[in-house]
Amino acid sequence: MHLTIEQLDNQAKDILANFDNNTISIKERASIPLQEMPAQDPLERINNMEEVALGYTKNQVKAEAMRCLQCKNKPCIQGCPVGIDIPAFIKKAAEGDFAGANATIKESSLLPSICGRVCPQENQCQYYCTVGKMKKDVGQSVAIGRIERFVADYSRENNQDITPSVKPQTNKKVAIVGTGPASVAAAADVRREGHSVVMFEALHKAGGVLVYGIPEFRLPKKLVQKELDGLVDMGIEINRNFLVGKTRTLEDLMKKDNFDAVFIGAGAGLPKFLNIPGENLIGVFSANEYLTRSNLMKAYDQKNSLTPLFPSEKVAVFGGGNVAMDAARTAKRLGAKEVSIVYRRSEAELPARKEEVEHAKEEGINFMLLHQPHEIVGDEKGFVKGVKVVTCELGEPDASGRRRPVEIEGSEQVVDFDTVVVSIGNASNPLLKQTTEGLDVNKRGNIIVNEETCETSIKGVFAGGDIVLGAATVILAMGQGRKAAKAINEYLK
Ligand code: FAD
Ligand code: SF4
Ligand code: SF4
């Protein structure tokens, strides 16, 4: 059973009463227990779209920050793709200087309230944390992401956030394709140098996956909007409903519209399918479409949204990654009675974050592990009525290091479902490649760039984020956006 926010706050108060941050020893720091994240009750939250994790209280954040040993060699920093000075910001948080902590983070990362929420910290900064290593459990590492989230939220809510300054206007213009985290980071850093920046977004809302993919209950959209408003305040123009490659080609932007440089941050938005029979039946969705309907088109808000909801009772979600967890948890909130993750390996191999799996379980999502879908079965009207699955067992590890699923002969069965959400990954959209002469891509369709500068095979055209890395993470996309912006600013000198 989860403790209430008051109970958790009281526990933190006791810790603060027992230890003085100025005199506490390393041994005492290591004795402070991990501060639990207050969360909405599972039975309540499956009936709403509100954020699940409620955020630390002031006392909790101070108590958690006191767990940091201020290691001299700062191992945690090597796990952060943008190199945030983690011990420095945590020290300020422990002292109660939350705005100062936020300012330290902002020297390296533009979107701390977003990264603090969605970074897979246990594989990144927290993976390297000495406290986790000492306790032989990465789950016991200092909760770097939660502290980051708190100080960013606090600074924003108390008008102590930092607006980046912009140098005097140059006569250079830069086009940014896409408005996801790679593009946001690139746009801000290019604009800071005084260049004009215009962003082009295919959808009617800016923000990329942060807006159309990651559900409201993990990342409130008002936070993303606030960051985009900040870009507009810096003088950046955002053009929506503008598909580069259709509305205008990349060449048009360079040659006819006189942009001096272009950054492509078009993401990896092309869903993959299993290519099994039945994937064109009514009631089969890609996770992208399913989540876009709910997040971007607000299908969950049936009173105010025109987007229709597909009536689902029993939903199968194919895949075991974070996107699959998001789709399954969304299906539950959209009213499905039973939702099952269908995954061909065991729980140990699930690629989703542990926290997301735990949250999904708490919300009553079933896990049909070691099952491989073979066919989606339809009724006479073309609607989904079930999924033919085969049971698997684990064999030898494959190239990914995970044990390979081996199908068990004769184990085939049809399980009743009326909706299937396919969530087995995304690839790059080929539109820009098809409409841009000389743009080199690899065999997966990802744009090939110079690793140091993010420049593509076309002079003056740079790229970063998922369109280069394949489906990756928010912070990696941002890191690439910053790297490309640095090179663009050099290029325009
Ligand atoms: P995107 O965010 O994909 O943005 C690209 C934008 O470009 C889109 O808005 C698109 O409409 C636009 N665009 C595309 N083509 C064109 C064009 N031709 N013209 C104009 N505009 C165009 N990462 C994490 O770190 N943590 C998470 O918890 C997490 N959860 C995720 C959940 C879901 C459901 C998904 C799908 C992804 C998740 N990710 C997560 C991955 C992360 O969101 C991405 O790695 C990241 O958003 C990539 O950023 P990007 O800027 O490269 O592209
Ligand atoms: Fe950790 Fe992500 Fe913050 Fe870096 S940005 S410190 S990886 S939570
Ligand atoms: Fe603090 Fe952990 Fe980083 Fe050490 S490794 S400085 S304990 S956050």
Side-chain angles (χ1 to χ4, degrees):
M1 232 223 7
H2 290 289
L3 297 180
T4 65
I5 196 159
E6 289 77 19
Q7 288 167 322
L8 292 168
D9 189 52
N10 283 336
Q11 285 183 349
K13 262 190 210 153
D14 288 345
I15 292 167
L16 297 179
N18 280 331
F19 299 115
D20 178 348
N21 186 43
N22 297 313
T23 55
I24 184 170
S25 69
I26 297 231
K27 207 170 154 203
E28 285 167 334
R29 285 183 189 276
S31 72
I32 300 175
L34 174 80
Q35 300 302 293
E36 196 185 305
M37 176 60 102
Q40 267 201 79
D41 183 84
L43 290 179
E44 265 173 39
R45 71 187 190 226
I46 54 170
N47 297 312
N48 67 54
M49 279 284 168
E50 307 293 311
E51 195 172 12
V52 169
L54 300 172
Y56 277 162
T57 65
K58 260 191 205 177
N59 292 318
Q60 277 190 296
V61 87
K62 282 190 192 163
E64 185 60 32
M66 267 164 72
R67 296 181 69 230
C68 171
L69 310 178
Q70 292 294 314
C71 311
K72 288 237 158 37
N73 54 347
K74 309 175 179 186
C76 44
I77 298 182
Q78 64 176 292
C80 173
V82 294
I84 292 175
D85 190 343
I86 296 167
F89 94 74
I90 294 187
K91 186 167 185 286
K92 288 182 183 162
E95 290 162 357
D97 177 12
F98 304 132
N102 184 51
T104 301
I105 300 172
K106 284 233 155 158
E107 285 165 19
S108 315
S109 166
L110 255 188
L111 307 173
S113 61
I114 293 173
C115 294
R117 285 171 165 82
V118 304
C119 259
Q121 291 111 9
E122 65 281 11
N123 301 325
Q124 297 183 334
C125 51
Q126 290 174 200
Y127 178 79
Y128 293 92
C129 176
T130 312
V131 176
K133 299 256 183 248
M134 270 164 45
K135 298 189 187 264
K136 295 191 174 56
D137 176 4
V138 69
Q140 291 297 315
S141 293
V142 175
I144 301 167
R146 293 174 184 176
I147 302 173
E148 180 171 329
R149 166 189 165 145
F150 178 91
V151 299
D153 286 357
Y154 176 92
S155 303
R156 191 188 57 254
E157 284 158 15
N158 291 283
N159 296 321
Q160 291 176 0
D161 208 357
I162 295 159
T163 316
S165 57
V166 174
K167 289 189 183 162
Q169 189 70 35
T170 66
N171 59 357
K172 298 281 181 349
K173 277 200 325 179
V174 178
I176 308 269
V177 182
T179 55
S183 300
V184 167
D189 280 2
V190 170
R191 179 69 192 130
R192 278 188 231 231
E193 285 303 301
H195 308 308
S196 296
V197 175
V198 184
M199 301 180 85
F200 298 100
E201 170 54 53
L203 299 171
H204 67 275
K205 258 194 194 153
V209 171
L210 303 179
V211 165
Y212 79 74
I214 304 180
E216 181 76 21
F217 56 81
R218 279 210 300 126
L219 179 63
K221 301 306 154 225
K222 64 173 195 284
L223 292 180
V224 184
Q225 191 53 50
K226 187 86 191 152
E227 301 299 345
L228 294 167
D229 291 347
L231 295 183
V232 174
D233 291 345
M234 288 172 77
I236 293 170
E237 193 183 320
I238 305 180
N239 267 327
R240 298 168 178 82
N241 298 312
F242 194 114
L243 183 61
V244 178
K246 273 246 157 80
T247 320
R248 223 82 183 112
T249 63
L250 205 70
E251 207 177 326
D252 289 340
L253 294 179
M254 303 278 290
K255 296 201 175 142
K256 297 187 182 155
D257 302 333
N258 302 320
F259 281 97
D260 299 289
V262 177
F263 172 77
I264 306 174
L270 188 72
K272 290 183 190 163
F273 283 87
L274 280 173
N275 294 323
I276 56 173
E279 276 182 314
N280 55 358
L281 288 167
I282 304 164
V284 180
F285 298 85
S286 69
N288 252 27
E289 179 186 347
Y290 196 74
L291 290 168
T292 301
R293 278 170 176 272
S294 177
N295 295 324
L296 187 74
M297 312 302 291
K298 303 273 175 266
Y300 64 82
D301 183 8
Q302 281 294 289
K303 272 196 202 125
N304 300 306
S305 167
L306 293 176
T307 309
L309 261 187
F310 186 78
S312 303
E313 295 262 312
K314 286 189 77 178
V315 180
V317 179
F318 296 172
N322 288 319
V323 180
M325 298 304 141
D326 282 344
R329 298 172 68 197
T330 297
K332 194 87 185 175
R333 285 162 173 78
L334 293 181
K337 290 208 171 68
E338 260 183 71
V339 183
S340 302
I341 292 280
V342 183
Y343 179 61
R344 61 196 180 137
R345 292 181 160 103
S346 77
E347 180 159 352
E349 289 82 26
L350 277 171
R353 293 182 65 190
K354 222 172 157 199
E355 184 179 282
E356 301 307 327
V357 175
E358 287 311 315
H359 278 156
K361 282 185 182 170
E362 285 172 6
E363 290 167 12
I365 308 294
N366 304 324
F367 282 76
M368 262 181 85
L369 300 168
L370 292 166
H371 281 87
Q372 169 77 38
H374 265 204
E375 182 183 343
I376 304 168
V377 185
D379 66 13
E380 61 290 347
K381 289 188 179 142
F383 284 79
V384 172
K385 70 167 190 182
V387 177
K388 194 180 278 177
V389 290
V390 175
T391 310
C392 300
E393 59 189 0
L394 291 180
E396 292 303 310
D398 62 13
S400 72
R402 293 174 305 166
R403 291 180 67 192
R404 190 190 303 273
V406 180
E407 295 182 359
I408 300 172
E409 224 175 285
S411 63
E412 204 169 78
Q413 56 167 321
V414 176
V415 184
D416 287 350
F417 288 109
D418 55 36
T419 308
V420 170
V421 182
V422 183
S423 179
I424 56 159
N426 280 333
S428 304
N429 190 310
L431 177 67
L432 281 168
K433 161 72 190 155
Q434 285 162 359
T435 56
T436 314
E437 208 178 311
L439 185 66
D440 288 350
V441 300
N442 65 17
K443 63 177 189 298
R444 277 187 246 114
N446 300 331
I447 297 178
I448 298 170
V449 297
N450 173 323
E451 275 187 27
E452 298 302 313
T453 61
C454 288
E455 193 168 21
T456 67
S457 51
I458 303 175
K459 200 167 159 42
V461 177
F462 299 76
D466 282 6
I467 187 82
V468 168
L469 300 169
T473 64
V474 171
I475 190 73
L476 280 170
M478 273 181 57
Q480 283 222 314
R482 294 207 84 180
K483 197 195 272 185
K486 197 164 163 231
I488 292 172
N489 291 335
E490 271 305 307
Y491 173 77
L492 293 179
K493 263 183 192 165

